[in-house]
Amino acid sequence: TPPFVGAIPLEVARRLDAIVLVTEEEIKEAMRLLFTRAKLYVDNHVYEQARERLKWITTQYPETPAAAEARKMLKEIEAPK
C-alpha cells in the first residue's frame, strides 16, 4: 500500500460493497427528505428522532441554509416549555 494510506481508511475500503456516485441534485433531494421528516417529527412531538435528523444535517452540512434552519428548530424543541 502507498505510505499515505492509513490503517483505518484501508480497512474501511476493504469493507465496501460498492461505490455509488450521486449528483448534487440527488444529495439536495435527500437533504430535503431528511428535513421534511424532521419537521414531521417535531410537529408530532417525536423530539428524539427529530433531534437525530436535525443534528445530522447540522453536522454533515453546517454551512447550508438547511443547517441554519435545523439549528433554529433544535433551539425551539430544546427550549424549556
Side-chain angles (χ1 to χ4, degrees):
T1 63
F4 55 84
V5 176
I8 294 173
L10 188 57
E11 186 58 32
V12 169
R14 285 186 179 131
R15 295 174 185 224
L16 291 176
D17 290 331
I19 295 174
V20 179
L21 299 176
V22 295
T23 65
E24 286 294 318
E25 191 54 41
E26 289 171 318
I27 293 170
K28 288 177 186 176
E29 183 58 32
M31 288 274 294
R32 281 190 283 273
L33 177 63
L34 282 171
F35 197 70
T36 299
R37 286 191 178 169
K39 284 182 180 181
L40 288 170
Y41 285 130
V42 171
D43 291 345
N44 290 292
H45 308 284
V46 185
Y47 297 123
E48 189 56 39
Q49 288 165 329
R51 273 187 209 93
E52 285 177 23
R53 280 151 185 85
L54 294 168
K55 286 180 180 179
W56 188 88
I57 292 168
T58 61
T59 302
Q60 296 299 312
Y61 301 95
E63 304 301 320
T64 64
E69 184 67 22
R71 282 189 285 277
K72 225 164 71 173
M73 289 178 73
L74 279 167
K75 284 182 184 176
E76 289 174 13
I77 64 176
E78 292 176 351
K81 301 282 180 191

